[in-house]
Amino acid sequence: MVRLCFDPTIYIPDWKQHYQEMLEQVFNSLNMEKIVDVSVGTFHISQDYLKNMRKREPESAVICFPFQKDSFCVL
């Protein structure tokens, strides 16, 4: 049995096309009868961890992303 988890998805120009091509390559190279689950998810981070990242790495491109606040984490 195989579970595939593709996360975090990363926004780049033409990201849908890139991910579609990548998923097609993966699925074409695996025995589909062995796959029991597939997920594609976004980047999640706790607010406290993000605050610490911003203090430690103020020039990082990751912390400049316009995160969306959710009920339990920052997306």
Side-chain angles (χ1 to χ4, degrees):
M1 294 191 332
V2 176
R3 171 172 282 146
L4 301 174
C5 300
F6 300 97
D7 51 61
T9 52
I10 299 173
Y11 180 77
I12 56 174
D14 300 320
W15 69 271
K16 288 182 182 180
Q17 180 65 33
H18 291 292
Y19 275 89
Q20 180 178 344
E21 291 171 5
M22 185 246 336
L23 292 171
E24 287 174 2
Q25 289 177 4
V26 169
F27 294 144
N28 287 333
S29 64
L30 296 175
N31 180 347
M32 295 302 290
E33 294 177 7
K34 302 284 185 183
I35 298 174
V36 295
D37 189 22
V38 178
S39 68
V40 179
T42 59
F43 179 72
H44 292 75
I45 188 169
S46 73
Q47 291 177 354
D48 290 336
Y49 194 83
L50 181 59
K51 286 178 188 176
N52 288 334
M53 284 178 58
R54 286 182 170 145
K55 287 179 186 175
R56 284 193 316 263
E57 300 290 333
E59 302 299 319
S60 172
V62 173
I63 63 168
C64 295
F65 186 82
F67 292 99
Q68 176 182 340
K69 189 174 181 179
D70 195 7
S71 60
F72 62 91
C73 64
V74 178
L75 304 174

